Amino acid sequence: AIENCKELNITDVFLHTVPFCNALYKSQIHPQNEKAQGLGFDALEYAVKKCHDNKMRIHAWINPYRVSTASNDVDSLPKQSVAYIWTHDESPDNDKNVCVCDGIYLNPAESEVRAVIINVVREIALNYPIDGIHFDDYFYPTKDEAFDKASYKSYTEESEVPLCLADFRRSCVNGLISGVYTAVKFIDKDIMFSVSPAASIERNYDDYYADVVSWCKSGCVDMIIPQLYFGFNYPLPEFRFENLLNVWKNALKDTETKLVIGLATYKIGTDSENDKQDFADADTIPREVKICKNDESISGYSFFSYNSLFSDNELNTKARKKIRLLN
């Protein structure tokens, strides 16, 4: 894998370290990921050393709130899971730390949840010489008022001038982002904190309660990697690649946050009605790479995912060759 990355002059690896409140390494906080169990070695330690030996940076990629998207059954979780512990201990107050809504999530509104996530970040940064902490785009999974009803009710009862629900939710996510940044920089100011939000700034703000532009303006993220997983002919003009790119460039132009563009190699060859015009050939991703490379306001580009970028499928192979020629 490292040799493949070096062929394309890839400088940074984002390794999925905490995908579902489980860990690639032996954590004191989360149960270990099933894929890492029984390996006989520390997968995160191995990956960090391998990257550094090859002069590559490595970022620990975390989905902070997501516990399960496959089930609503908390009883089926590992007994070491914080979600299981909170819902099965003797304190009914802890139940509100876990929300069930088309999946199982930690509740962004609760301080105990923020503490757990920040402690996981600290655990990684203190025990492994990583170059970055990276959050994916999973913040609030729903706009349903029932999701955090108990937390919001407690908040409004305790506040003289309470925020509306949407602003309350944004403030909860802001608190986590700020807390993680502070924790990371206290350990090592050179560790980068990055987030890969959804493509639309408005949808991040309205649907996921992620006030991404404020994070950048306040300086509590080092790098933002918006998921511009669209081509040049998408049916909705506002989601076409160059239009999205211009929106993000304008939003970040007066900030010190680095702008890196997320590109959708996983869509190459898709038969999706909205995307197939762009991704039915091998040209769109290389064209997007070229645009990013030629724009001084863009710090780089990121591919999602490794498996699709280095797939042996004919279109993926052609796209990869075109990308290599741009380096």
Side-chain angles (χ1 to χ4, degrees):
I2 291 293
E3 292 305 316
N4 286 340
C5 291
K6 288 169 71 174
E7 272 190 40
L8 293 185
N9 288 333
I10 290 172
T11 59
D12 293 65
V13 170
F14 293 82
L15 181 65
H16 219 169
T17 305
V18 184
F20 287 94
C21 287
N22 54 6
L24 187 64
Y25 60 98
K26 288 188 176 179
S27 170
Q28 298 299 309
I29 300 167
H30 286 320
Q32 191 173 29
N33 188 312
E34 288 183 3
K35 293 180 180 179
Q37 293 175 12
L39 286 178
F41 61 92
D42 186 319
L44 181 56
E45 180 181 49
Y46 174 85
V48 170
K49 186 178 187 306
K50 196 75 171 175
C51 285
H52 288 171
D53 286 349
N54 286 275
K55 305 294 191 274
M56 298 176 69
R57 291 182 290 267
I58 183 167
H59 306 249
W61 164 12
I62 298 169
N63 294 99
Y65 301 116
R66 188 177 68 176
V67 180
S68 173
T69 55
S71 170
N72 288 347
D73 183 11
V74 179
D75 290 342
S76 68
L77 295 173
K79 290 182 171 54
Q80 307 97 314
S81 165
V82 291
Y84 185 94
I85 292 168
W86 274 328
T87 53
H88 289 75
D89 62 14
E90 295 180 355
S91 173
D93 287 344
N94 288 335
D95 291 356
K96 66 180 181 298
N97 291 338
V98 181
C99 296
V100 176
C101 178
D102 293 327
I104 305 167
Y105 300 86
L106 302 187
N107 184 355
E110 293 301 319
S111 59
E112 292 93 339
V113 166
R114 291 193 289 276
V116 162
I117 296 168
I118 290 169
N119 283 336
V120 168
V121 168
R122 293 182 70 255
E123 180 178 62
I124 296 169
L126 285 169
N127 292 302
Y128 300 89
I130 54 156
D131 302 287
I133 293 289
H134 178 72
F135 274 9
D136 209 348
D137 64 323
Y138 293 86
F139 295 102
Y140 275 83
T142 180
K143 297 178 73 173
D144 189 339
E145 293 183 6
F147 180 77
D148 53 355
K149 184 177 180 180
S151 299
Y152 185 61
K153 183 174 184 291
S154 297
Y155 160 75
T156 56
E157 289 173 349
E158 295 169 1
S159 304
E160 291 184 10
V161 186
L163 298 170
C164 68
L165 178 61
D167 285 340
F168 167 74
R169 287 178 170 179
R170 280 187 281 270
S171 73
C172 294
V173 176
N174 288 349
L176 176 67
I177 297 296
S178 176
V180 168
Y181 182 85
T182 301
V184 166
K185 297 305 178 181
F186 184 81
I187 293 167
D188 185 344
K189 62 180 178 58
D190 292 327
I191 296 176
M192 294 196 75
F193 178 41
S194 62
V195 181
S196 58
S200 167
I201 289 176
E202 290 77 16
R203 288 191 178 180
N204 284 306
Y205 188 86
D206 293 331
D207 295 352
Y208 310 126
Y209 307 97
D211 191 356
V212 179
V213 176
S214 288
W215 304 344
C216 298
K217 288 183 175 179
S218 64
C220 60
V221 288
D222 297 304
M223 181 165 63
I224 211 79
I225 312 177
Q227 299 172 9
L228 304 197
Y229 296 165
F230 301 88
F232 300 93
N233 300 288
Y234 195 77
L236 297 175
E238 63 268 29
F239 280 89
R240 291 172 187 165
F241 181 78
E242 288 177 302
N243 293 335
L244 286 168
L245 189 64
N246 287 331
V247 169
W248 281 97
K249 285 166 56 179
N250 288 332
L252 268 66
K253 65 182 178 182
D254 295 322
T255 76
E256 295 184 6
T257 303
K258 291 183 177 181
L259 177 60
V260 172
I261 305 303
L263 303 178
T265 53
Y266 76 95
K267 283 189 175 180
I268 295 173
T270 182
D271 58 2
S272 164
E273 193 63 38
N274 289 335
D275 291 310
K276 65 183 180 182
Q277 184 177 352
D278 283 304
F279 295 97
D281 58 41
D283 296 328
T284 293
I285 297 294
R287 182 180 168 191
E288 293 175 345
V289 166
K290 187 174 182 179
I291 289 171
C292 293
K293 287 177 72 72
N294 292 335
D295 192 324
E296 292 183 355
S297 65
I298 298 172
S299 297
Y301 47 90
S302 174
F303 300 111
F304 181 78
S305 63
Y306 173 89
N307 286 342
S308 57
L309 179 61
F310 293 100
S311 167
D312 291 333
N313 291 341
E314 183 181 0
L315 282 178
N316 301 66
T317 301
K318 286 181 178 179
R320 190 166 62 248
K321 288 179 179 178
K322 289 174 182 286
I323 293 167
R324 187 181 297 119
L325 290 173
L326 294 170
N327 289 318

